[in-house]
Amino acid sequence: MAPFLSAVDTYTEVIPATAPPSYRGQMVKYSYKITVGTQRINEPTKLLKIPFRVLNLNVSEKEEITAPLLSPFATDSWCDGVSKALHQLLASASLRNTRTYNISSKKGSVVRVIIMKEAYRLGEEISGTLDFSAGTIPCQQVSVTLQSEEKIPEDCWVNHTRVEATSISHTRHHECSLHTSRVQFMLPIPFTATPQFSTKLVSLTWRLHFEFLLCSQQTPSTSVTVARHRPVKSASDTVQNCDHCTVGVADLETETLLWDLAIDILPAHPAQVAGTVATKSPVMVVL
């Protein structure tokens, strides 16, 4: 083309349904980009690489989705392809199925964990309740962490060397729970995270990691006498008032109880993810 001329061309490419999502892990990385090359006569070729993100729409197969169609006017043709996958994804993440887990140690009951559902989408908040009212072992502190775990299959190990699974913490909730009957926790799921997926090379799963700091003994309190002096109003008013107050123990033996709860993290709508993580750039590329 001559200088100052423009041309418009259309390029179409279909990403396979079995392609893994964009992922940047500790040992494996999946990235996608479009490479555009231009060349003038007697000039070297110039390449422009445009990265983009791929989300997998594979819905968990643990249970069948029987939710009705989102629109009463939807037809079977409308449900084909991506539209059907998005509808199935929304229905899977919207199912309410309250689960209760009783956590105990060797010495007795600790807490009852209540989770509203087990499947969440990117951008949602994981909420739950920790009920200590029926526990027999005092819990001093509790922390809940949202973690992703990356595993490499055994047949992909180099020289049969064991590769340990690696975990990454995303969000965390910490609370002091001593003398508390109930604790609420909320953990937001970042849009920049990668939903769960599995390939022949790597598998990514999600979990809630609980850490309970238990008291090895009961929490006794010590009653001491503290002298409190009133202001002297007159020469004859020299009476001192002594009160009793309760002081906690300075040293307390503790032990840690760990527990993991597997959850499903599903992708959100691509338009919702793109509108949240998009950043402003002073450079504009027009193809």
Side-chain angles (χ1 to χ4, degrees), residues 1-283:
M1 293 188 302
F4 305 105
L5 293 181
S6 62
V8 178
D9 194 8
T10 302
Y11 169 79
T12 304
E13 183 70 29
V14 178
I15 301 176
T18 57
S22 300
Y23 176 63
R24 190 181 187 90
Q26 299 291 330
M27 294 170 286
V28 178
K29 175 183 177 182
Y30 292 110
S31 61
Y32 296 85
K33 59 182 178 291
I34 298 176
T35 303
V36 180
T38 59
Q39 183 181 19
R40 292 183 178 181
I41 300 177
N42 298 328
E43 293 290 339
T45 302
K46 294 185 179 180
L47 300 179
L48 175 63
K49 297 181 180 181
I50 305 175
F52 63 95
R53 184 180 179 184
V54 174
L55 295 176
N56 58 326
L57 293 179
N58 297 329
V59 183
S60 176
E61 299 180 354
K62 291 183 178 180
E63 52 187 353
E64 296 182 358
I65 305 302
T66 58
L69 294 176
L70 297 180
S71 174
F73 303 100
T75 60
D76 294 338
S77 60
W78 179 88
C79 292
D80 292 342
V82 178
S83 299
K84 182 179 180 180
L86 291 175
H87 163 68
Q88 192 175 7
L89 172 66
L90 179 60
S92 177
S94 301
L95 293 176
R96 294 283 182 175
N97 189 9
T98 304
R99 299 294 181 91
T100 302
Y101 303 91
N102 295 319
I103 310 302
S104 303
S105 66
K106 297 180 180 180
K107 298 181 180 180
S109 176
V110 177
V111 64
R112 193 162 59 103
V113 181
I114 305 174
I115 302 294
M116 297 303 174
K117 58 180 184 177
E118 294 182 341
Y120 302 87
R121 291 179 296 169
L122 297 179
E124 288 188 332
E125 288 187 344
I126 303 175
S127 61
T129 304
L130 302 177
D131 186 4
F132 296 95
S133 58
T136 58
I137 305 300
C139 181
Q140 186 176 1
Q141 295 179 0
V142 59
S143 65
V144 187
T145 307
L146 176 62
Q147 295 181 343
S148 60
E149 187 177 39
E150 178 185 282
K151 295 182 180 179
I152 303 296
E154 185 176 355
D155 54 356
C156 296
W157 294 352
V158 179
N159 298 329
H160 302 283
T161 302
R162 181 178 179 84
V163 180
E164 298 293 339
T166 58
S167 60
I168 299 178
S169 300
H170 298 268
T171 54
R172 183 180 182 183
H173 179 89
H174 180 81
E175 191 103 15
C176 294
S177 56
L178 191 61
H179 304 304
T180 302
S181 59
R182 279 177 174 262
V183 170
Q184 303 284 341
F185 67 88
M186 297 186 67
L187 297 172
I189 305 174
F191 277 106
T192 56
T194 302
Q196 62 187 32
F197 73 96
S198 178
T199 63
K200 296 181 180 180
L201 185 61
V202 64
S203 63
L204 181 70
T205 57
W206 288 81
R207 68 186 181 187
L208 292 178
H209 180 69
F210 293 83
E211 296 184 13
F212 302 97
L213 187 62
L214 307 180
C215 300
S216 301
Q217 57 184 1
Q218 296 295 328
T219 56
S221 58
T222 305
S223 180
V224 297
T225 302
V226 180
R228 186 179 65 182
H229 298 274
R230 292 180 178 177
V232 179
K233 298 181 179 179
S234 61
S236 60
D237 188 5
T238 58
V239 179
Q240 295 180 352
N241 182 27
C242 297
D243 293 338
H244 291 274
C245 64
T246 302
V247 180
V249 294
D251 298 326
L252 188 63
E253 296 182 1
T254 60
E255 59 182 17
T256 303
L257 176 63
L258 304 179
W259 181 62
D260 293 330
L261 174 63
I263 58 174
D264 295 332
I265 301 297
L266 306 177
H269 195 285
Q272 184 181 8
V273 177
T276 305
V277 301
T279 57
K280 296 182 179 181
S281 174
V283 180

